[in-house]
Amino acid sequence: NIYDVGTRCGTRFANNVFRAMGTGAFHTAVEVHGQELSFAFTPAADMPTGVFLCLPRSCINHTFRETVPMGETALSAMEVEALVDEMAKEWPGQSYDLLKR
């Protein structure tokens, strides 16, 4: 799922313009087994991982734009949960970088 970064209508307008040039300010998430997985900055004291879940197409910090199908996973819901638990340890919220990670 692709979102315009933030919730301001100006970002959506800018993304409409810049997207034609192959760029823009977007947030992405992966939808799997009825949940959406994302990564974002979080202060370590509040939440050490930047990996978080929400309902598909419902991230409150960004404005939903579109879904891009990526196929289906061969992993069970339990296997995905275990994988996310491991990723959460390796992706601390303070390591988030808008341009790099």
Side-chain angles (χ1 to χ4, degrees), residues 2-80:
I2 300 175
Y3 293 82
D4 293 305
V5 168
T7 57
R8 294 184 173 184
C9 62
T11 303
R12 186 167 189 85
F13 175 78
N15 279 345
N16 286 338
V17 172
F18 289 119
R19 189 167 181 191
M21 294 179 251
T23 191
F26 301 101
H27 170 79
T28 61
V30 176
E31 185 177 332
V32 61
H33 293 297
Q35 296 187 16
E36 188 172 277
L37 301 160
S38 290
F39 176 65
F41 176 81
T42 55
D46 294 349
M47 185 184 201
T49 183
V51 177
F52 67 95
L53 298 169
C54 68
L55 293 174
R57 300 169 300 283
S58 301
C59 183
I60 61 171
N61 297 318
H62 306 290
T63 305
F64 177 75
R65 174 175 278 271
E66 66 182 300
T67 294
V68 176
M70 296 172 46
E72 297 192 14
T73 181
L75 300 177
S76 69
M78 195 176 294
E79 290 170 321
V80 169

